[in-house]
Every structure is written in structure tokens, then in C-alpha cells.
């Protein structure tokens, strides 16, 4: 429903063809034409039907031309009924989209500058890429912290995106460990083969769920005590039941595969190595909640995971495990994949909805909550892959058996992303209650100079703990009591040679760059916080007034920001100050 | 419509409508703030059909645009009526209780099949069917129209054809459903309400009715002529016949705005005396024997105007009139004094009070109430009457409040008077642009960044056939004359149709082309349908 | 008679210890107004959908971990709200201070009172050696009707809403960029005359800080002749089409200097078109 006004710029044939192909692959006829010369369909309904194809269309333009040109925007605007100013506003929201002509023809080499890569020396990697003639873009965490420093190659001229490290064979540190639950198929089943997945117990849970019926599944999930593994730890059973209770409107299951919390890579490995499990558990969620529409929103820097998930969807659909009467459960369910384009904030569930719907990835105020007003304003169950994977055991062995692992208030196992100065960085699965010290030992102990300085728990939005916390049991309740968090499962170790001021200033810069800009406390607060820390770094000290200012800024960000990004933007900074990791440290 | 002339609904009702038919109206540009209410309706989930020969900026907001051929509105409306009846979607209870003439109507529209209408209108039959069903089955539906319906030789038939649809489905007389003509000028509604119609006194009271006349005579203290006067088009005919020799023109610019304007200018020039009262030295004023400089009604004087939703609102002076300009009331009073009648110096409020003592539908609107409220919608019969959001609620009353049932009308499809021919093969229709207004005397005063002048919009395929490029200057001719214009290629206009605005008569005298065939009942000329031809200009000789 | 399907039920909440009854669906903000409690707002306007981005209207709600925006949060039965606690005062002060530290608020007249009331000191960030980042952009003067001065923009989204879904549906402008670099922009920052803009002026009408101004006002300000204290405002009706839009004519020295529309009027909701907003010059014979 717009008064589309297009400037004079026109798309190149290649740009138009790229957009057309992207839309056709999603079942959209890209051709703009009246039905006859005297009849034309437009209006609100058409606009609503098309808007959410904006992100895929912009990806197509970026990939084709290396940027999103005025002509390209106009083409997309006309085809999708999106005003050019809005399409531009959306394009400029994302790190992976450029709206100025590139100075180079080739691919863009994204090098991560966040904590794990910072202490692993990302600048050496960047220098070597430049020396080889590559165009380097320094950016935020790429979700490959276990193999820092991380590199992601964004293709242009139609070349696909690519992560060089994906070419190496994958190895799970705990391979062969009989106690693995969520990770038990990894390295065992072939992620590109449905037969292999089935041979390793795949789709037994969905069939069982079909026999149990939605109500029994909801009961089991509630009884299991499963809670969200993205950081907020909301009870999954409550969420699913709330969606199931909604009637009369289309409903959705969204897999939040936008993990972007610096230090986090667990979902990437799950999706790359066990994609069918994500698809199966989403289907179970659809069955339980009565939702027929499944969506995977995956961060744009995960090309291998995207390809494997797409392969799994295609294979499942061909085998009747998706689509009408999926797997003979009597429930219709299908899944589509939408790629993000480089925005940490889109991991926030309501920002994710906006992004998927073709708007700027700005969080919505809550209430209302996604269970009633989620994707397209409709009831939505949104979970990340790790959370979803737990459902397999809950269905197959029952809630009681599930609860034999972990603690009373934190049942089950937890995936943890170990990075930084540990002997064997990588993805680990342990039962809740394992101590931090035991976990670090499992990962080969502290590397570097061997002297632990601090551990960043939960990522940039989490907090630092010191060596005195090695006895901390890793449960929701114990970490909360200790004033820290498991968050998304980040456990990043620093040895005493690491410059924590550099690390903390970078964390502050990360929030400054990733704030969506919508609300004042976060938009300005994140900038002022970073400025204050830069000032501290330059001076080598922090005056009492500036120290107090950091707390004052933190307070308004926590109290008055719209979403979790603002709420947590000062968390790591304040913990570093409290631990004396910065400011009071001897100037270097 | 079934009596007093005014839109039956309020703008607020459009926001809650389920289906909107926007018929012959480019409200997005001609009534932009009314269109805001339409947009709210669309946001609230309304489905909109735009019926217009052009895919206007309004039509782009519609769920479906039906690009009918110019002047085929009756064919379309009657086919909708037939379809509604055949599908059993009409409202038999309402028809039986509140209307009359249904059988004749139903029998008449029987020949207006979807296929026949598709052939006449150019709109696919399926789309007509869909629109008919959507309109008939909507809980609340609105029909909105503007000059695309009324600037035709059969304007009244066009209007009543739309009324038939509302009667057929009961979409009138209740909150949310209705029929709304959008008024083109800020007080065209108020002018009619006040009796500036040849056969009406204020409040749409008939001049030929002795009882009514007696009431007015008692208050005016003079005898009143019971013979209906002439509307504008008849006046020009009377000038042509030599019967009308003097003309007093207040705030109108016929020397630019009349269809077949060169003919109109000739007639004005031939008058014995032409008096013009205006705030501008218009082309008509330039021809006048006497010019009476007036003040700007809405910014320099007290009064009221009435909007398209029958809302009477106050205008107030913000700045003093310049130079010798005087208020209209002063000028008219002074003129009366020179003619030997002293009316004193009545204030606008005193005149208003006199008027509302005579016009029942205004009686409740005290000056004080108008001053304090955001306007009151007529009818408002007493001072404790809040006014009327919608009209014709009586249609739903058990006893019809003692009135006669509303009549269906039998209307016949009749294409534009001016047929296309080999000599004049293209259809020309006219309309407004967003930033301009009528002949531009007001809107020409500000620097609009979106003003492009009067160009002739044509379909790119037609242009290609004629070998004409975008922006090329061409000669446009109708049976009445020729003007030079720039061409603008416009994919939103179907082949065979052309369009122009008429805001810059000093640059492009577009009304030289338009047809002054007019509707005998409304007096409106067929601005919307002329036949033209486009010729390339001879290239200027080299070196000239 | 209006739509009878809407039945009004009341809810009672407590604000600063005082019970307040409002219609169901009302916001906490309107309940505050009802209770006579003055609440600062910036991004809220009665004729726009609340976007709750400025956070200057936050209040403390019992049971809610964070403060809540009163402009958008619906009042519920039994809510207990505090508007004057140290937390609330702190957040409001910081929001005002943050804004003042980043943009020019010299013409944001409505905010000056609140900045004083909450003791906001925007100058305490940075120092001589470490100046803070501010939004500093040249004024965009691209036509005779508007100017845009984004160094005064607080990113309240009002102009975007008025241009878009909440009124005009032209979508000539949107928020572009992210974080502190976010700006209101046309596509690729093309000039307004090259954009979809139809010059209704509804963006200017809702701008709270003078970032968007009518050219008439801007020109007078430039020569120091903008004198609101000497202006009269007269309500009348537009002279163009038959919709009946109410106009407020702002007159200084017997000349119209600006036209606005009352946001609480049922016809316009405060919004106008180009003719109503700018088509008055002929009154002065130009």
C-alpha cells in the first residue's frame, strides 16, 4: 500500500536476473505487470504478501553487484511494492550490505576483531589477506571463535560466500564420549544424508510425537524443565503452550539461528553437523504448538550451515517428512530459510521478526510477546537450535529420564563454547552443574602462559569472572547467584598476558557499533560508554567522576533500553571494573 | 440523493469500512486529507476497488484497479447490479421495506450481462463479478466518487446508478455504509446548502413551493420569484440566445474554467455588462466592466463553510484585507444600498441566525456552538442535537418516518457524446494534480517543488505509434480547437486514452479542447470526455 | 451513533499512590494525564502510533524489572506505577542529557523545561582532549518549502511515521544506517525534490526539535526575526478542496508565517496536504 515513486536509476540486467532468481526460488513471480491493460492488482494485501522477500532480494543484489545500487533498489522496490527509502533504510542496517559502489571488484574478506580473535592476533590474518590482494573488512564476531582468528569471504559477482576453515575436516573435542546427548550424532552421522540420520535414530522422535499427540508433547516438554538456551532461559514448555493456546490465526515456529553473541558458535556446529535434528525438532514444535509455518533465520556469515540446512529440508520434504501430513503425523508443516545480513541485534527475537519481515531489525517493545504477536504479528514459538535439540531426548526417553542429568533447577545438559586461552577450544557438552574449573580442564586447561587472568562468561553481553570462580557450578541458579551468567554458553579464557583493557574497550566498541539506534539510552549510552573507556585507556586511569558516570550510564541502559542489547551493554565493562581487570591495572 | 444533496457518511466511517469503491475519483491528489481516512480504512483491513480510466495514484493503493473506458460507468454499475441480483446477494427485506421500483430496475439490468459490460468497459468480466460480490457481501461498504462520475453528459444517471447499488444491498442509511461525493471546492457543499442552486432556497427548500416561499418572504420582507433560475451552463446558452445580457460573477473564473473555453470567452465579451467580484485579477476580471475587489474568505473574513461530510465549520480572519478590498457581505450590502435597499450592516453571525431560522437542517447550529466545536454536521435541527454523522437512517425505521420509499432509477448506458473518429482517434480526459488547483489562480502563488505544468499524458505504445518522444512538444486538436502541449509518456494510462490537468491556462489553454456537451439535469459539462488528435509540430526551418 | 461493537470497560491502576480509573486500552501515559501528573514526552504524539523509542516517559511499574515506557504500555487493572522515584528521575535525566550531548537542542523548546527539572547536564561528557561524538551535518535547503537540519534530529521517528503508515503513506523518508550513525534519509540521500516527497509538510508538523522547519520560519530565524511571542494563531478552514481541513494560521506582522493543523480535529488529525500547508501565499498577493 504505497505510493511508489522511483527515481531514474534502473537495475542492470544481471541485477534484475539475480533478484528474479532469488524470488523465483521462493515461489514469487517477480514480474511486474498488470493482469490486463485494464486490471491491476496491488494494495495492502499484495504489499503484505511481498514485503518479507526484501531481505533475500537485497542479498541477491549484493551478491551480484558487490553493492546495492540505486537501480537495484528501484527494481526491488517495484517488484516487491516497497518504497525505495524504506528499502534503503533496510539495506543500510546490515553489515553485509554496501550502499556505495565498492572500490574493488573482488570478494570481501571479513576478519573478526572481537575478543577471541583479538587475543589470537586478527591483525596478522588481516595483513596476510591484504598481502594476497584481498579486500579486508574488519568486523564483529563471525561465530568461529574456536578457530580464531576468523575469516569469512563474502562473494561478489555471483560467487557464493565461503568460510575457508569449513574446508578443513571437522572434529569434535569430545568425539567418542558416550555421555554426549545433544552432540551424539556429530561426527557419527553424515550431515548430508537423510539415510544416515535415520540410521542413527533420526525421526523416531517426530513419529513418537505424532503418536503422543500435541498435548502430551507439551506436557513432556513442560515436565522436563527445559528452558531456552539463548541466554534468557525462559521455560520452553510455557512458551509452546502459550502458542498452542492461540487459535484462529496462522502460527509460526522460528528457529533463531542468528547466534551472534561474541564467543558463541554452538548452533553453527549443530546446524553444520546435525542439520536434520534441527529440522525434525522444528517439526515437533510445529506439531505441539499447531503451527504450520517453520522459519529458519540464520546469520549471513554461516554459508555451510545454511547449505546443510537447505539440503536437509529438501531431503526431508522429498521423503514426506515435511509438507502436507509431515511424517504421517497428520500435521502440515514446512520450513523456509531466511538469511540475516550481519546485525547482532537480529538475534533478539523481535528484531529477528522485523528483519525477516523485511523491515529494519529493530526490536519491538514487549509486551505483547511473540507467543501472541510474533512473526507477522501472529503467534510464534521461537527457539534456538540447542534448545530444540533437547526435545529429542525429552520425547524419546521421557521427562523423568531427561531430568536425571543436570540439577533440579537446571535439568539436562548444556553446550558450551570454549575459546580463548584453552588447550582445546571447541564445542563441549556437559551436564548442568559441572564446575567451571572442571570444564576448563576438559578443554585442556589454560593455554598461553598458563596463568588464568579471567573468564568471560556468556559473551560480550555477559560478564568476567576471575580465577577464584573455578569452583562455580555451571547452572542457571549458581551463575545467577554469583552475579554472572551462562548466557549463550560462552566460556572464553584469558591468560595474564592478555591486555584486558584492549578487550574491554573492544567490547564497548562492539555495542556502540551494534546498537540498532532506536532507543536513546542504548544509541547514545553505548557511544558515551565507549568514549569514556577510550579516554581511560589513553589516560591510563579513570577518575572517580568518570567511574561514577559509567555506573550512571549503565543504570539508564539497564533500566530504560528497549531490549537486551541495551540492558547488557555495560555488563562486561562493569564486571571488568569490579574485578580490577581494567583501570586499576598497572599501566602498560 | 433521495432528497437533500450531501454525502451520506462521515469520513470516520470510511476508516471502518470493509469494502471501498473509489469511483471516478483521484482523491489521493484531489482530496488528499480525505484520502488519509481511506488509508486508515485500508490499514484497518478494508478492500478497495478503484474504478477509473487511469491507474491514478489513488488506484495504486487499491487492491484492484478496474480501468474502464471513459463514460462506461453505467454499463459497469448496472452489470454489478445484475450480478448481485443473480447471485442472490441483494437484500430483499431492505428492498421490500425501504425502496420502490426494484422490479423495473431488475428487469432493466437483465440485459447488462457481465460479458456485455466487459466488452463495453474493457474490464474483464471476472473483475466486475468480484467487485460486485465484494461490495454486496461486505458488512460495511462505501462508494466514493468525484468528477469522474459527474463531469459527463449523463452525470445524474451516473450518480443514481451508484445509488441503485446501495439500495440493492442496503449499504446506505446506517453507520459505516454510504455514498459520498467528494466536493471539489472548499464550500461547494455550503453554497448548495445556502441555496446557490437555481431551484433551491437555503436548506434545499424548493423555490417553487408556495409555502416555503411564503416563509422566506415573511423574513426577507420582499416578494420572491418562484421560477427556478438558470445554472451556469444554461446561463451561457441564454447569453448565446441573447436573453442574458448582464452578469455578476463572484469568485469564479469562467473565462478559463469553462469547457470549450474560447466559445465561453466570446459570449462573456458580448455581454452588456460584466461585473466581477474576486480577490484576483482573473482572466474573467480582466474582461469585466466593473471589478469589485473582495477579501479572502478564509483568511480575511468571518463566516462558515461546509465540507463534503456536511460539516459546517467557521472561517476566521487572520490578516486584514489589503488596499481597497472589502468583505463580500459589505460589497453586497453596499450594492443593495445603491440599488435603493438598506440592509444596514449585519454581522456574519446575524446573517447566520436569520438563515438558521429559515433552514431547519441548520437550526441547531448556533454561532456559539460552531465556535466551540470542531464543526457540526447537518441536519442539526435543535441546539441539543449533536448533528448527523450519516443521512437517511429513516430507511431503516419501521415506518420510514413517514417518507416515501427510496426509488430505484432505470439508467441507460450512453457513451460520451463525442465519439472517437478517424480524425480524432484519441480520448482526452482531464483532472487535477496534487499541488495545483483548478485554473491555478490560488495555487500558482507558491513555489511547489513538484509542479510539472500541464502536459499531455499518453500511453507509451500510442506515442511509439505516433513517433512521439517523451517531453516532445506536439499540437493537440479537438473539434473545437488546438493547443500546443508537451507530451509525457505514462505507462499508467491505457492505450487510446490521454490525460491533462488544466492548472496553467496562461501556458496551456487545455479547456480549448474540452467538450461543452452537458447534462441537462446537473448542468455539468463533459470535461471528462473529448476526442482529440495529436500531430507532430513542423520542425522549425534550419537557421530560423 | 458510532460502532456499537466497542464497549468501554474501565480499569483502575495506582499512580504515585493515587487510584486512577481509565478506559480499557488507555496507556499509562494517558492515565498520568488523567491524574494530573505531568510526564515528559518526545517521540509520542496524539496523532501518531507510539514508537516508544525516546524513553523519556519511562515509569516504574511494580513487578517489572526494567522501567516501562508510559506512552505505549497499556494500563491494566491493579497496576502500581511510580513516576517520581530516583530510578525514574535518573533515567529521564540521562535520556535528556544523552540527547543534549549529541545534538543541538536549542530549538527543542518543549525539552528545556524538563532538562532543568531533571537537572540534565549534557556538557559533562568528554573533555577538551576527548570531545564526544555529535551529529553535525550541514543544513539541507533543497527547495522553497522545507529545510532539514539533522544536527538537531533526536531520531524520534515522528517524521517517518507521519510520512509513512500513520498519515501520508508516501514513505519518502526512512531511518537509514544503524546506531549513532542512524539518520532520517531518502533513498541514497537524494534531495527531497528527487524523492517521493509530496511536500505535505506533515513531517515538519510533528518535528519536536526544529530539525525540520518550514522555510518561512527558517528564513526568519536566520535574520533573527522569528518572534513566536508576537505571533497570533487563528483557526480557519482551508480554501482548496471540499474536505474541510482546519488550519491554524500563524501570523506575525500581519503576514502568515506558518500553517499547522490541530492534531485533535477529526478531519485532519493534524495533517495537511501541500496546498493547505503552503498554498496561502496568494493572500499576500505574491
Amino acid at each position: 500500500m504505497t505510493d511508489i515513486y522511483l527515481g531514474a536509476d534502473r537495475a542492470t540486467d544481471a541485477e534484475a536476473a539475480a533478484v528474479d532468481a532469488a524470488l523465483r526460488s521462493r515461489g514469487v513471480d517477480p514480474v511486474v505487470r498488470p493482469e490486463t491493460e485494464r486490471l491491476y492488482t496491488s494494495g495492502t494485501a499484495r504489499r503484505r504478501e511481498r514485503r518479507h522477500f526484501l531481505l533475500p532480494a537485497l542479498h541477491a543484489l549484493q551478491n551480484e553487484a558487490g553493492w546495492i545500487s540505486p537501480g537495484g533498489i528501484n527494481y526491488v522496490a517495484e517488484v516487491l511494492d516497497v518504497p525505495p527509502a524504506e528499502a534503503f533504510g533496510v539495506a543500510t542496517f546490515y553489515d553485509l550490505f554496501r550502499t556505495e559502489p565498492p572500490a574493488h571488484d573482488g570478494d570481501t574478506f571479513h576478519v573478526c576483531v572481537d575478543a577471541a580473535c583479538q587475543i589470537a592476533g586478527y591483525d596478522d590474518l588481516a595483513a596476510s589477506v591484504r598481502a594476497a590482494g584481498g579486500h579486508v573488512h574488519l568486523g564483529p564476531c563471525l561465530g568461529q571463535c574456536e578457530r580464531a582468528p576468523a575469516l569469512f569471504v563474502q562473494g561478489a559477482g555471483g560467487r557464493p560466500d565461503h568460510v575457508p576453515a569449513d574446508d578443513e575436516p571437522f572434529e569434535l573435542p569430545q568425539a567418542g564420549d558416550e555421555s554426549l546427548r545433544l552432540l551424539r550424532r556429530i561426527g557419527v552421522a553424515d550431515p548430508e544424508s537423510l539415510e544416515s540420520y535415520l540410521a542413527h535414530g533420526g525421526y523416531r522422535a517426530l513419529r513418537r510425537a505424532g503418536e503422543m499427540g500435541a498435548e502430551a508433547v507439551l506436557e513432556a516438554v513442560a515436565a522436563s524443565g527445559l528452558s531456552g538456551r539463548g541466554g534468557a532461559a525462559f521455560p520452553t514448555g510455557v512458551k509452546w503452550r502459550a502458542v498452542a493456546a492461540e487459535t484462529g490465526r496462522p502460527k509460526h515456529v522460528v528457529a533463531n539461528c542468528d547466534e551472534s553473541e561474541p564467543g558463541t558458535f554452538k548452533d553453527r556446529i549443530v546446524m553444520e553437523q546435525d542439520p536434520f535434528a534441527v529440522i525434525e525438532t522444528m517439526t515437533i514444535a510445529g506439531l505441539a504448538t499447531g503451527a504450520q509455518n517453520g522459519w529458519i533465520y540464520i546469520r549471513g556469515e554461516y554459508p555451510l550451515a545454511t547449505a546443510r540446512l537447505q539440503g536437509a529440508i529438501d531431503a526431508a520434504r522429498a521423503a514426506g517428512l515435511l509438507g502436507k501430513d509431515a511424517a504421517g503425523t497428520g500435521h502440515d508443516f514446512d520450513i523456509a530459510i531466511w538469511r540475516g545480513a550481519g546485525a547482532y541485534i537480529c538475534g533478539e527475537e523481535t528484531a529477528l521478526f522485523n528483519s525477516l519481515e523485511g523491515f529494519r531489525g529493530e526490536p519491538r517493545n514487549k509486551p505483547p510477546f511473540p507467543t501472541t504477536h510474533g512473526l507477522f504479528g501472529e503467534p510464534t514459538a521461537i527457539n534456538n537450535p540447542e534448545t530444540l535439540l533437547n526435545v529429542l531426548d525429552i520425547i524419546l526417553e521421557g521427562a523423568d529420564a531427561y531430568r536425571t542429568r543436570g540439577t533440579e533447577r537446571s535439568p539436562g545438559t548444556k553446550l558450551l563454547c570454549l575459546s580463548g586461552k584453552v588447550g582445546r577450544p571447541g564445542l563441549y557438552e556437559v551436564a548442568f552443574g559441572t564446575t567451571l574449573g572442571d570444564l576448563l580442564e576438559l578443554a585442556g586447561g589454560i593455554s598461553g602462559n598458563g596463568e588464568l587472568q579471567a573468564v568471560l562468561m556468556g559473551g560480550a553481553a555477559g560478564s568476567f569472572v576471575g580465577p577464584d570462580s573455578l569452583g562455580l557450578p555451571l547452572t542457571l541458579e549458581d551463575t545467577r547467584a554469583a552475579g554472572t551468567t551462562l548466557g549463550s554458553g560462552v566460556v572464553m579464557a584469558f591468560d595474564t598476558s592478555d591486555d584486558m583493557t584492549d578487550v574491554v574497550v573492544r567490547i564497548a566498541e562492539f555495542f556502540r557499533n551494534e546498537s540498532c539506534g532506536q532507543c536513546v539510552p542504548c544509541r547514545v549510552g553505548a557511544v558515551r560508554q565507549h568514549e569514556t573507556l577510550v579516554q581511560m585507556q589513553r589516560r591510563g586511569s579513570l577518575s572517580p567522576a568518570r567511574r561514577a558516570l559509567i555506573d550512571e550510564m549503565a543504570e539508564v541502559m539497564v533500566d530504560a533500553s528497549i531490549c537486551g542489547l541495551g540492558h547488557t551493554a555495560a555488563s562486561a565493562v562493569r564486571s571488568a571494573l569490579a574485578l580490577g581487570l581494567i583501570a586499576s591495572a598497572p599501566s602498560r | 440523493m433521495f432528497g437533500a444533496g450531501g454525502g451520506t457518511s462521515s469520513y470516520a466511517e470510511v476508516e471502518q469500512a470493509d469494502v471501498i469503491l473509489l469511483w471516478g475519483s483521484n482523491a489521493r491528489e484531489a482530496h488528499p486529507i480525505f484520502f488519509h481516512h481511506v488509508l486508515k480504512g485500508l490499514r484497518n483491513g478494508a478492500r478497495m476497488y478503484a474504478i477509473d480510466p487511469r491507474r491514478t495514484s489513488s488506484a495504486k493503493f487499491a487492491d484492484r484497479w478496474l480501468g474502464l473506458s471513459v463514460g462506461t460507468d453505467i454499463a459497469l454499475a448496472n452489470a454489478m447490479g445484475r450480478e448481485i441480483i443473480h447471485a442472490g446477494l441483494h437484500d430483499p427485506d431492505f428492498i421490500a421495506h425501504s425502496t420502490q421500483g426494484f422490479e423495473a430496475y431488475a428487469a432493466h439490468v437483465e440485459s447488462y450481462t457481465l460479458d456485455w459490460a466487459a466488452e463495453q468497459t474493457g474490464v474483464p468480466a471476472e473483475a466486475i463479478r468480484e467487485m460486485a460480490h465484494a461490495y454486496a457481501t461486505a458488512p460495511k461498504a462505501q462508494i466514493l466518487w468525484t468528477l469522474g462520475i459527474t463531469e459527463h453528459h449523463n452525470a445524474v444517471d451516473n450518480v443514481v446508478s451508484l445509488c441503485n447499488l446501495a439500495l440493492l444491498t442496503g449499504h446506505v442509511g446506517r453507520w459505516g455504509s454510504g455514498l459520498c461525493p467528494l466536493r471539489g471546492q472548499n464550500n461547494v457543499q455550503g453554497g448548495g446548502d445556502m441555496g446557490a442552486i437555481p431551484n433551491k432556497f437555503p436548506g434545499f427548500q424548493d423555490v417553487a413551493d408556495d409555502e416555503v416561499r411564503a416563509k422566506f418572504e415573511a423574513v426577507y420582507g420582499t416578494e420572491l420569484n418562484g421560477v427556478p433560475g438558470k445554472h451556469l451552463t444554461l446561463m451561457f446558452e441564454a447569453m448565446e440566445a441573447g436573453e442574458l445580457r448582464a452578469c455578476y460573477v463572484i469568485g469564479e473564473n469562467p473565462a478559463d474554467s469553462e469547457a470549450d473555453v474560447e466559445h465561453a470567452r466570446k459570449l462573456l465579451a458580448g455581454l452588456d455588462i460584466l461585473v466581477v467580484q474576486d480577490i484576483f485579477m482573473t482572466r474573467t476580471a480582466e474582461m469585466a466592466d466593473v471589478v469589485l475587489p473582495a477579501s479572502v474568505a478564509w483568511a480575511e473574513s468571518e463566516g462558515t463553510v461546509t465540507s463534503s461530510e456536511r460539516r459546517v465549520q467557521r472561517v476566521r480572519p487572520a490578516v486584514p484585507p489589503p488596499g481597497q478590498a472589502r468583505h463580500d457581505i459589505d460589497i453586497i450590502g453596499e450594492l443593495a444600498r445603491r440599488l435603493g435597499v438598506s440592509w444596514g450592516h449585519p454581522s456574519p453571525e446575524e446573517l447566520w441566525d436569520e438563515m438558521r431560522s429559515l433552514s431547519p437542517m441548520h437550526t441547531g447550529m448556533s454561532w456559539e456552538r460552531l465556535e466551540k466545536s470542531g464543526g457540526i454536521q447537518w441536519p442539526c435541527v435543535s441546539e441539543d442535537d449533536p448533528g448527523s454523522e450519516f443521512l437517511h437512517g429513516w430507511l431503516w425505521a419501521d415506518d420510514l418516518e413517514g417518507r416515501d420509499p427510496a426509488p430505484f432509477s432505470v439508467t441507460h448506458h450512453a457513451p460520451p457524446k463525442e465519439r472517437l473518429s478517424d480524425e480524432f482517434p484519441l480520448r482526452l480526459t482531464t483532472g487535477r494534480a496534487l499541488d495545483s488547483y483548478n485554473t491555478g489562480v490560488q495555487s500558482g502563488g507558491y513555489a511547489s517543488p513538484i509542479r510539472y505544468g500541464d502536459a499531455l499524458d499518453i500511453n507509451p505504445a500510442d506515442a511509439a505509434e505516433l513517433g512521439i518522444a517523451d517531453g516532445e512538444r506536439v499540437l493537440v486538436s479537438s473539434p473545437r480547437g488546438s493547443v500546443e502541449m508537451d507530451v509525457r509518456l505514462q505507462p499508467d494510462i491505457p492505450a487510446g486514452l490521454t490525460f491533462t490537468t488544466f492548472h496553467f491556462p496562461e501556458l496551456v489553454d487545455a479547456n480549448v479542447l474540452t467538450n461543452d456537451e452537458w447534462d441537462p439535469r446537473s448542468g455539468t459539462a463533459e470535461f471528462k470526455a473529448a476526442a482529440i488528435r495529436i500531430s507532430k509540430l513542423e520542425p522549425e526551418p534550419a537557421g530560423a | 451513533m458510532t460502532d456499537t461493537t466497542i464497549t468501554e470497560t474501565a480499569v483502575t491502576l495506582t499512580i504515585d499512590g493515587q487510584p486512577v480509573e481509565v478506559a480499557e486500552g488507555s496507556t499509562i501515559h494517558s492515565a498520568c494525564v488523567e491524574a494530573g501528573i505531568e510526564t515528559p514526552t518526545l517521540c509520542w504524539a496524539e496523532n501518531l502510533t507510539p514508537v516508544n523509542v525516546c524513553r523519556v516517559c519511562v515509569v516504574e511499574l511494580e513487578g517489572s524489572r526494567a522501567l516501562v515506557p508510559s506512552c505505549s504500555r497499556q494500563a491494566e487493572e491493579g497496576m502500581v506505577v511510580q513516576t517520581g522515584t530516583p530510578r525514574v528521575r535518573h533515567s529521564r535525566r540521562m535520556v535528556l542529557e544523552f540527547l543534549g550531548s549529541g545534538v543541538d537542542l536549542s530549538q527543542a523548546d518543549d525539552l528545556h523545561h524538563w532538562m532543568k527539572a531533571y537537572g540534565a547536564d549534557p556538557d559533562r561528557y568528554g573533555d577538551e582532549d576527548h570531545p564526544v561524538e555529535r551529529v553535525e551535518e550541514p543544513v539541507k535547503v533543497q527547495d522553497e518549502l522545507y529545510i532539514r537540519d539533522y544536527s538537531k534530529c533526536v531520531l524520534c521517528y515522528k517524521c517517518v511515521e507521519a510520512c509513512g503508515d500513520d498519515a501520508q503513506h508516501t514513505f519518502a523518508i526512512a531511518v537509514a544506517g544503524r546506531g549513532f550513525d542512524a539518520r532520517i534519509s531518502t533513498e541514497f540521500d537524494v534531495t527531497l525534490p528527487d524523492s517521493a516527497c509530496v511536500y505535505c509538510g506533515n513531517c515538519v508538523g510533528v518535528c519536536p526539535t526544529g530539525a525540520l522547519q518550514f522555510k518561512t520560519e527558517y528564513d526568519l530565524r536566520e535574520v533573527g526575526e522569528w518572534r513566536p511571542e508576537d505571533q497570533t494563531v487563528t483557526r480557519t478552514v482551508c480554501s482548496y478542496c471540499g474536505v474541510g481541513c482546519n488550519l491554524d494560521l500563524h501570523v506575525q506582522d500581519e503576514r502568515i508565517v506558518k500553517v499547522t493543523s490541530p492534531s485533535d480535529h477529526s478531519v485532519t488529525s493534524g495533517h495537511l496536504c501541500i496546498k493547505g500547508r503552503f498554498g496561502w501565499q496568494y493572500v499576500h498577493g505574491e
Side-chain angles (χ1 to χ4, degrees), chain A residues 220-511:
Chain A
V221 172
S224 73
L226 175 63
S227 65
R229 302 292 197 240
F234 190 81
T236 307
V238 174
K239 190 185 278 189
W240 284 18
R241 188 169 287 287
V243 175
E246 292 289 321
T247 53
R249 290 185 291 165
K251 298 194 272 192
H252 308 274
V253 168
V254 176
N256 182 347
C257 306
D258 195 55
E259 71 174 353
S260 309
E261 183 63 51
T264 316
F265 49 85
K266 63 186 176 71
D267 289 338
R268 189 198 90 233
I269 290 174
V270 166
M271 294 185 286
E272 287 174 352
Q273 304 303 329
D274 198 9
F276 286 100
V278 178
I279 305 306
E280 182 185 356
T281 50
M282 285 180 73
T283 313
I284 293 171
L287 175 80
T289 59
Q292 298 185 339
N293 313 295
W295 305 84
I296 289 173
Y297 183 96
I298 184 168
R299 64 178 303 193
E301 297 86 344
Y302 282 0
L304 179 62
T306 307
R308 293 235 165 115
L309 286 168
Q310 190 61 57
I313 289 170
D314 294 344
R317 198 182 288 134
L321 300 167
L322 279 178
K324 274 227 161 299
D325 186 18
T329 57
H331 184 70
D332 302 343
F333 189 78
D334 213 331
I335 300 174
I337 299 181
W338 251 239
R339 282 180 68 208
Y344 169 66
I345 188 60
C346 290
E348 198 283 337
E349 55 194 17
T350 58
L352 183 153
F353 298 147
N354 278 339
S355 176
L356 198 161
E357 290 176 26
F359 295 90
R360 291 166 57 81
E362 294 170 353
R364 304 170 185 168
N365 214 67
K366 291 186 273 192
F369 294 97
T371 49
T372 57
H373 294 76
L375 189 63
F376 306 111
E378 293 160 351
T380 302
I382 177 165
N383 297 106
N384 64 30
E386 181 190 354
T387 312
L388 287 167
L389 250 62
N390 279 279
V391 173
L392 295 175
D393 275 350
I394 294 170
I395 300 283
L396 290 173
E397 54 174 28
D400 290 343
Y402 176 84
R403 294 191 76 115
T404 59
R405 291 177 288 275
T407 66
E408 174 60 28
R409 290 163 69 191
S410 298
T413 59
K414 178 79 191 92
L415 298 185
L416 292 156
C417 309
L418 277 97
S419 64
K421 297 291 176 61
V422 292
R424 274 177 293 133
L427 179 59
Y428 290 81
E429 179 181 10
V430 295
F432 276 108
T434 306
T435 64
L436 178 58
D438 287 347
L439 177 68
L440 290 171
E441 280 311 307
L442 184 64
I446 302 307
S447 62
N449 68 13
E451 291 174 46
L452 179 66
Q453 181 174 202
V455 177
L456 178 61
M457 302 289 293
S463 62
F464 290 97
V465 297
D468 58 342
S469 294
L470 291 177
L472 177 69
L474 299 177
T475 66
L476 298 170
E477 59 275 17
D478 291 299
T479 50
R480 190 174 301 145
T484 184
T485 178
L486 283 176
S488 53
V490 172
V491 177
M492 191 184 293
F494 299 86
D495 72 21
T496 51
S497 74
D498 291 323
D499 183 337
M500 296 313 288
T501 304
D502 274 355
V503 169
V504 172
V505 169
R506 170 54 205 163
I507 287 176
E509 184 186 50
F510 172 82
F511 283 106

Side-chain angles (χ1 to χ4, degrees), chain C residues 244-258:
Chain C
C245 299
N246 278 231
L247 305 182
D248 282 342
L249 305 181
H250 300 244
V251 172
Q252 177 179 310
D253 301 333
E254 298 191 349
R255 294 183 69 84
I256 299 169
V257 292
K258 173 163 92 170

Side-chain angles (χ1 to χ4, degrees), chain A residues 90-106:
Chain A
V90 170
T92 54
F93 191 82
Y94 298 99
D95 243 19
L96 295 184
F97 294 153
R98 309 253 75 82
T99 50
E100 280 168 8
H104 60 99
D105 290 336

Side-chain angles (χ1 to χ4, degrees), chain C residues 17 37 52 61 90 95 115 119 136 149 152 171 184 201 207 264 267-268 274-275:
Chain C
I37 296 163
N52 58 62
L61 172 64
H90 175 75
V95 162
M115 296 192 74
E136 273 158 16
D149 180 1
K152 295 192 175 71
F171 303 94
I184 308 297
C207 179
D264 60 353
V267 173
T268 65
I274 183 171
K275 296 188 289 289

